[in-house]
């Protein structure tokens, strides 16, 4: 049974990479983790690891593009917990690395569905639960690609989707600034040793990259009740919290 004092934390893309590191880190700090990902087997492995450390998890095998399922998730969490303390919007896809003029519309739509619309649908579904928390925290994982279009040719769909995600998070932060205890942050992990990075940069030596666990150690405090800033971006490569007017 979940302790009444445990924070309820939903992490999307929780089965591997950054999401897995964040889920384990939150569980290690006493949160009941609601782990959402597409792959049941990987979720089961995560559940075993959380259980081994004495934590608890609820597994949600779900494709982020299944928007009806995201709507049902809000109702299910309300029925079980009555609130949500932490939303981590981490799940995302790289999409095609191609000139914009060559991008296939189906690929474009998939990237926008998973990286952008799913996070809006999560806010739409979970906002009442975050407002029911005494210290609701929302953290969305973005990318430097959102700010470096001139330096990232051929990353158009991904870069555009992350720029849109940042606009969503900033809007949500502004809308909750004076009406609730919700704090909304973005986090840019930079290049990490993940599967997505390997797909994007196949010739890169992964040993030269920092790990998702290192990022998680820095990002998890943004989800704590003690965190008071909102509408800003934590940049892991520089270890700074930035206003959006500041260069990255």
């Amino acid at each position: 049974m979940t302790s009444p004092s445990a924070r309820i934390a939903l992490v999307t893309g929780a089965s591997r990479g950054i999401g897995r590191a964040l889920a384990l880190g939150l569980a290690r700090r006493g949160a009941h983790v609601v782990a959402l990902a597409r792959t049941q087997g990987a979720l089961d492995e995560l559940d075993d690891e959380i259980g081994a450390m004495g934590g608890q998890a609820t597994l949600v095998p779900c494709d982020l593009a299944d928007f009806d399922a995201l709507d049902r998730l809000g109702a299910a969490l309300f029925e079980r917990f009555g609130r949500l303390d932490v939303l981590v919007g981490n799940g995302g896809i790289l999409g095609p690395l191609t000139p914009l003029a060559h991008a296939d519309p189906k690929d474009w739509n998939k990237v926008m569905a998973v990286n952008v619309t799913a996070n809006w649908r999560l806010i739409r579904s979970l906002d009442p639960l975050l407002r029911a928390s005494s210290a609701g925290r929302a953290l969305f994982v973005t990318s430097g690609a959102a700010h470096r279009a001139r330096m990232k040719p051929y990353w158009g769909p991904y870069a555009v989707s992350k720029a849109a995600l940042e606009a969503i998070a900033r809007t949500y932060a502004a809308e909750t600034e004076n009406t609730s205890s919700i704090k909304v942050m973005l986090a840019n992990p930079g290049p990490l040793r993940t599967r997505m990075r390997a797909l994007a940069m196949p010739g890169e030596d992964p040993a030269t990259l920092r790990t998702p666990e290192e990022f998680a150690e820095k990002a998890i405090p943004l989800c704590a009740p003690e965190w008071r800033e909102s509408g800003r971006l934590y940049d892991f490569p520089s270890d700074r919290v930035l206003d959006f007017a500041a260069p990255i």
Side-chain angles (χ1 to χ4, degrees), residues 118-171:
N119 285 293
W120 165 64
R121 293 295 289 254
L122 284 167
I123 290 172
R124 181 175 178 269
S125 179
L126 302 174
D127 172 70
L129 299 180
L130 288 168
R131 291 178 184 271
S133 170
S134 61
R137 300 291 180 263
L139 175 66
F140 297 94
V141 178
T142 183
S143 168
H147 306 276
R148 297 180 176 135
R150 291 183 63 188
M151 297 169 58
K152 288 285 189 182
Y154 314 119
W155 287 57
Y158 182 75
V160 169
S161 72
K162 289 301 185 178
L165 172 63
E166 292 191 358
I168 287 173
R170 294 167 65 191
T171 301

Side-chain angles (χ1 to χ4, degrees), residues 3 8 33 35 40 48 53 66 69 85 128 135 138 142 158-159 172 176 189 192-193 198 203 230:
S3 167
I8 310 302
V33 175
Q40 180 70 57
D48 290 343
M53 67 173 70
D66 185 347
D85 301 298
T142 183
Y158 182 75
Y172 189 43
T176 54
L192 297 181
R193 201 179 305 167
S230 191

Side-chain angles (χ1 to χ4, degrees), residues 2 6 10 34 47 53 60 92-93 100 102 132 147 156 159 169 190 196 209 215 239 241:
T2 302
L10 170 66
V34 181
D47 188 35
M53 67 173 70
V60 183
I93 59 174
L100 280 173
H102 296 171
H147 306 276
M196 182 184 290
L209 303 175
F215 168 70
D239 194 24
V241 175

Side-chain angles (χ1 to χ4, degrees), residues 166-245:
E166 292 191 358
I168 287 173
R170 294 167 65 191
T171 301
Y172 189 43
E175 291 175 349
T176 54
E177 183 176 10
N178 298 317
T179 60
S180 72
S181 62
I182 297 173
K183 306 298 180 187
V184 184
M185 290 292 294
L186 287 146
N188 170 36
L192 297 181
R193 201 179 305 167
T194 63
R195 179 181 175 185
M196 182 184 290
R197 179 71 182 185
L199 290 172
M201 309 290 287
E204 189 173 53
D205 180 0
T208 64
L209 303 175
R210 299 171 79 179
T211 66
E213 290 74 21
E214 290 176 275
F215 168 70
E217 283 298 311
K218 292 289 190 174
I220 287 173
L222 309 179
C223 303
E226 296 78 21
W227 186 262
R228 297 301 180 192
E229 297 191 72
S230 191
R232 303 186 73 193
L233 183 145
Y234 170 67
D235 183 61
F236 179 57
S238 64
D239 194 24
R240 292 184 298 160
V241 175
L242 303 172
D243 292 321
F244 279 90

Side-chain angles (χ1 to χ4, degrees), residues 20-84:
R20 186 175 186 277
L22 288 167
L24 289 170
L26 286 163
R28 199 171 289 116
R29 290 161 175 77
H32 180 112
V33 175
V34 181
L36 186 152
R38 290 180 297 171
T39 309
Q40 180 70 57
L43 283 173
D44 289 338
E45 292 176 5
L46 174 67
D47 188 35
D48 290 343
E49 191 162 350
I50 289 175
M53 67 173 70
Q56 291 185 312
T58 297
L59 307 184
V60 183
C62 175
D63 190 323
L64 280 171
D66 185 347
F67 302 140
D68 290 339
L70 300 185
D71 288 345
R72 293 192 296 271
L73 176 62
L77 293 178
F78 176 78
E79 183 176 349
R80 181 170 179 184
F81 301 112
R83 73 181 198 281
L84 181 66

